[in-house]
Amino acid sequence: MLRKIRIGISVALFTLITFYFLDFAGILPNSFHRLAHIQFIPALLSFSIGVLIFLIVLTLLFGRIYCSTICPMGIFQDVVARGSKFVGKKKKRYSYSPAKNILRWIVVGITAISFFCGFTAILGLLDPYSAYGRIVVNVFKPVYMLGNNLLESVFSQFKNYTFYQVDASVLSVASLVIALLTFIIILFLAWKHGRTWCNTICPVGTVLGFLSRFSLFKVRIDQNKCNGCGLCATKCKAACIDSKNHAVDYSRCVDCFDCLEVCNKHALVYAPSSESIKKESADSSKRRFLMAGAITAATAPKVLAQVKETAATLLGGQKAYQKKNPITPPGSVSREYFQNHCTSCHLCVSKCPSHVLKPAFTEYGLGGIMQPTVNFEKGFCNFDCTVCGDVCPNGAIKPLTVEEKHLTQMGYVVFIEENCIVYTDGTSCGACSEHCPTQAIAMVPYKGGLTIPHVNTDICVGCGGCEYVCPSRPFRAVYIEGNPIQKAAKPFKEAEKEEVEIDGFGF
């Protein structure tokens, strides 16, 4: 019964959180972002004390229920392990293996030290929720959207327009490669060895495993009933049941309850302990590691290409603009704050309706690879949209009201007159001014009866509408330069609408 309850809850949560990442049509309401807020690392980074207390108490009471029921990466491994049983002639059997505690705590130590040194990439790579989110967004979602486009092409032949074409292109080659490698590694480990990733590499599994050693409810072996057949060990994906010595490694047990179902002697029970917990002697190598405390910190220089002067001459005098600071999402406070809290789960990337959030490559340096940055190649940030802050589970992007969003300056406009077609071609334009929601770009008189853009950076919020629509090529005439620390833009006055009196029929 316990196993069936666990499977039912985990399937429901796994399906909902996976579909929420995949959902591009807004079928699920944004309130489902709370599924991400109950994950361990996001709760830790966002200082969600209530969620952290809940998860810690849950672990101290029932063991690693989080890993088997709530964590999407853990459930994904169970799905893969389950599928492996139906392939091949031989039945899949697991066996007990000693815990690799030195490796586990080295990974935790390196992750923690690097995080406190400001290098969050390792935490982002190893956080199970974020890793699974990247797999869904970068690997599964393009396939899902291609399937949607295929259905659209079929249904449209019958005049049925339930489906519509969507852009299924890859968000970032770097993110795709990293997500694909993570997917392949975890797929292989789960297929061959069950929960190896959880009990060897995952820092969340190691920390919760330590707490679960002191949990009230545990899977216990009744030595009076056990005949040492070892059947339970062959079903244990965590390889934590030592049937010969009638022992369970509770730091690795994820409470999947598979062993309870197969024991013919009913020698396995999930029950509270009546004995005091004995303190285990600390492993000497672990002690030496903790005392050594090797600091892992890495910084990477910005990889910015310099445009040669000869190229500018060949392009008719146009100037290339190299952005000095990447643009962080609205509500991210500052670049430093954002990088220290973002684990690159890509939920904001998946849910952005304007598709302006893209995984970074070198924009933030090596430590910020895959963290979202704002890119205006395919759109601009909707003036009234606050989705990214609403769904962010880590607190890296603060929730904003629409009014606060209107005055949040994530960047400011830069105008390059030499690139403007009014200057180069002697023709009128004004596209940037027409798309500016704050009137930070106004058209002022220019020679020959033309008008040319004039910018007011004080009221610019950096939405990118001007950069996106600028027709000048190969280099745009307007760019948005990111703010290292997001500021409050000065309030702007909306243009007064002229009332037009219509006589007669108005034709």
Side-chain angles (χ1 to χ4, degrees), residues 109-263:
I110 291 175
T111 304
I113 294 171
S114 62
F115 173 76
F116 287 117
C117 290
F119 189 72
T120 57
I122 295 177
L123 179 63
L125 283 171
L126 300 183
D127 169 34
Y129 160 75
S130 299
Y132 181 73
R134 286 192 299 273
I135 290 173
V136 175
V137 173
N138 293 279
V139 180
F140 296 165
K141 192 171 184 178
V143 177
Y144 177 74
M145 297 173 84
L146 285 173
N148 169 84
N149 292 346
L150 178 62
L151 289 174
E152 187 277 335
S153 62
V154 173
F155 275 62
S156 61
Q157 299 296 322
F158 301 96
K159 307 300 181 182
N160 186 319
Y161 302 103
T162 302
F163 300 92
Y164 57 90
Q165 289 285 326
V166 292
D167 182 11
S169 59
V170 174
L171 294 172
S172 163
V173 175
S175 290
L176 174 62
V177 170
I178 293 173
L180 196 58
L181 284 175
T182 305
F183 172 69
I184 292 172
I185 291 171
I186 292 178
L187 182 69
F188 173 79
L189 291 176
W191 188 274
K192 290 289 187 180
H193 308 290
R195 287 284 192 136
T196 300
W197 174 272
C198 289
N199 289 329
T200 307
I201 303 298
C202 178
V204 176
T206 301
V207 172
L208 294 183
F210 173 77
L211 294 177
S212 67
R213 290 167 50 196
F214 309 101
S215 63
L216 178 63
F217 284 82
K218 296 177 179 178
V219 174
R220 306 181 187 280
I221 301 176
D222 187 343
Q223 297 187 29
N224 296 323
K225 295 181 179 180
C226 179
N227 61 1
C229 68
L231 185 59
C232 55
T234 65
K235 298 295 182 180
C236 180
K237 298 185 291 289
C240 66
I241 300 179
D242 184 359
S243 57
K244 293 182 179 179
N245 297 311
H246 302 93
V248 178
D249 182 354
Y250 296 115
S251 71
R252 291 186 290 160
C253 177
V254 295
D255 293 329
C256 66
F257 307 128
D258 288 352
C259 56
L260 301 183
E261 298 285 325
V262 299
C263 183

Side-chain angles (χ1 to χ4, degrees), residues 229-503:
C229 68
L231 185 59
C232 55
T234 65
K235 298 295 182 180
C236 180
K237 298 185 291 289
C240 66
I241 300 179
D242 184 359
S243 57
K244 293 182 179 179
N245 297 311
H246 302 93
V248 178
D249 182 354
Y250 296 115
S251 71
R252 291 186 290 160
C253 177
V254 295
D255 293 329
C256 66
F257 307 128
D258 288 352
C259 56
L260 301 183
E261 298 285 325
V262 299
C263 183
N264 299 322
K265 300 296 182 180
H266 304 290
L268 288 166
V269 293
Y270 182 66
S273 172
S274 58
E275 299 178 357
S276 60
I277 301 173
K278 298 180 181 180
K279 294 184 179 180
E280 299 181 7
S281 59
D283 186 90
S284 59
S285 58
K286 185 193 301 183
R287 191 187 305 115
R288 288 195 300 269
F289 164 73
L290 293 174
M291 292 177 64
I295 297 177
T296 303
T299 57
K302 297 179 181 178
V303 183
L304 299 175
Q306 299 296 325
V307 180
K308 297 181 180 180
E309 295 293 333
T310 53
T313 304
L314 292 173
L315 293 169
Q318 282 195 332
K319 293 183 178 180
Y321 181 77
Q322 194 67 51
K323 293 185 179 182
K324 300 178 180 65
N325 295 296
I327 306 170
T328 57
S332 54
V333 183
S334 68
R335 174 178 172 177
E336 181 181 4
Y337 176 87
F338 178 68
Q339 288 195 256
N340 287 340
H341 289 78
C342 177
T343 57
S344 310
C345 72
H346 291 179
L347 182 58
C348 60
V349 175
S350 177
K351 305 309 292 183
C352 177
S354 302
H355 308 292
V356 297
L357 292 179
K358 305 293 181 184
F361 183 43
T362 59
E363 290 90 333
Y364 297 125
L366 182 61
I369 191 170
M370 299 186 300
Q371 290 181 331
T373 185
V374 183
N375 183 291
F376 301 120
E377 287 296 325
K378 294 186 177 181
F380 57 91
C381 184
N382 189 302
F383 192 50
D384 297 323
C385 178
T386 60
V387 170
C388 57
D390 293 338
V391 303
C392 178
N394 299 334
I397 308 174
K398 298 288 187 181
L400 298 174
T401 63
V402 174
E403 292 74 18
E404 290 172 334
K405 169 71 183 301
H406 287 175
L407 297 176
T408 299
Q409 189 186 74
M410 56 182 175
Y412 57 90
V413 61
V414 175
F415 174 59
I416 304 173
E417 182 177 333
E418 292 85 348
N419 294 354
C420 183
I421 62 173
V422 178
Y423 176 90
T424 59
D425 299 346
T427 184
S428 60
C429 182
C432 54
S433 178
E434 292 174 3
H435 284 78
C436 180
T438 66
Q439 302 168 33
I441 300 180
M443 302 303 291
V444 298
Y446 189 60
K447 58 186 178 182
L450 299 173
T451 56
I452 198 166
H454 174 76
V455 302
N456 181 358
T457 57
D458 290 337
I459 60 176
C460 176
V461 294
C463 70
C466 55
E467 180 177 331
Y468 172 65
V469 300
C470 180
S472 181
R473 294 295 184 274
F475 302 126
R476 289 182 169 90
V478 283
Y479 292 92
I480 300 298
E481 179 64 51
N483 276 334
I485 300 176
Q486 294 190 352
K487 304 176 182 178
K490 291 184 178 180
F492 61 94
K493 295 182 180 179
E494 295 187 8
E496 297 181 359
K497 296 181 180 179
E498 296 183 2
E499 295 184 2
V500 180
E501 294 184 3
I502 301 176
D503 295 330

Side-chain angles (χ1 to χ4, degrees), residues 50-64:
V51 176
L52 284 175
I53 291 175
F54 168 74
L55 293 177
I56 291 172
V57 171
L58 182 70
T59 304
L60 290 174
L61 286 176
F62 304 108
R64 288 174 61 181

